Amino acid sequence: MLLSKQKKSQNNKGNRLLITVNVLGSTGPLRFVVKEGELVAAVIDMALKSYAREGRLPVLGSNLNDFLLYCPTSGSDALSSLEAIGTHGVRNFLLCKKPQSEIAKNAETEGTTIARRGHGRWKSWINKTLSLKIASH
């Protein structure tokens, strides 16, 4: 009996929370259990993995640096990625993609550029197809 009490106390070193993360533009929230001291960056990563695993739309991607997590009590400021998820005492959060200007700014500071893959080919194919049909009349 004493041994089982010791095991239970070792497993309860951190409080666990059932949190709800609403993803902007998606249907229905994500719900999962995290430790109270878990970092916001880790929670964003878990949310993105859970979102992808469930096959939800729209496809978000997996780069956690492109997303912000908001708390209803913190006003319009996003949570810092280095703070603990349990510091605000709430369990509902909103996950949003950063504005494209911020993503581009972050990419430039890292020395990379954002390239639109496939976008130009798609447009050029449509333009060629339409110009052929118009010219044949």
Side-chain angles (χ1 to χ4, degrees):
M1 174 120 162
L2 183 63
L3 185 60
S4 65
K5 286 184 180 180
Q6 288 175 348
K7 285 183 182 180
K8 286 183 182 178
S9 67
Q10 288 174 355
N11 291 337
N12 293 332
K13 288 189 177 182
N15 291 337
R16 293 179 183 226
L17 303 171
L18 175 65
I19 64 169
T20 302
V21 178
N22 291 304
V23 180
L24 192 64
S26 178
T27 58
L30 298 168
R31 290 182 182 93
F32 48 91
V33 177
V34 295
K35 290 184 180 176
E36 194 173 42
E38 196 79 46
L39 295 179
V40 170
V43 171
I44 293 172
D45 189 44
M46 280 188 261
L48 291 174
K49 287 179 181 176
S50 176
Y51 188 89
R53 191 176 328 114
E54 292 177 14
R56 293 187 180 210
L57 293 175
V59 177
L60 297 177
S62 60
N63 187 358
L64 64 100
N65 295 321
D66 292 346
F67 294 90
L68 297 171
L69 192 68
Y70 290 93
C71 173
T73 60
S74 68
S76 63
D77 295 334
L79 300 177
S80 169
S81 60
L82 299 176
E83 69 180 303
I85 196 72
T87 57
H88 293 281
V90 296
R91 296 180 182 190
N92 295 320
F93 299 94
L94 177 66
L95 183 68
C96 300
K97 214 168 196 181
K98 284 183 183 177
Q100 290 297 329
S101 60
E102 286 186 37
I103 294 172
K105 194 184 310 179
N106 291 342
E108 288 174 8
T109 58
E110 294 173 3
T112 61
T113 59
I114 296 176
R116 292 177 155 178
R117 287 194 264 163
H119 190 67
R121 287 183 260 149
W122 184 84
K123 274 187 168 180
S124 64
W125 179 81
I126 286 182
N127 288 335
K128 286 180 186 176
T129 308
L130 290 176
S131 65
L132 290 175
K133 288 182 180 180
I134 293 171
S136 64
H137 283 269

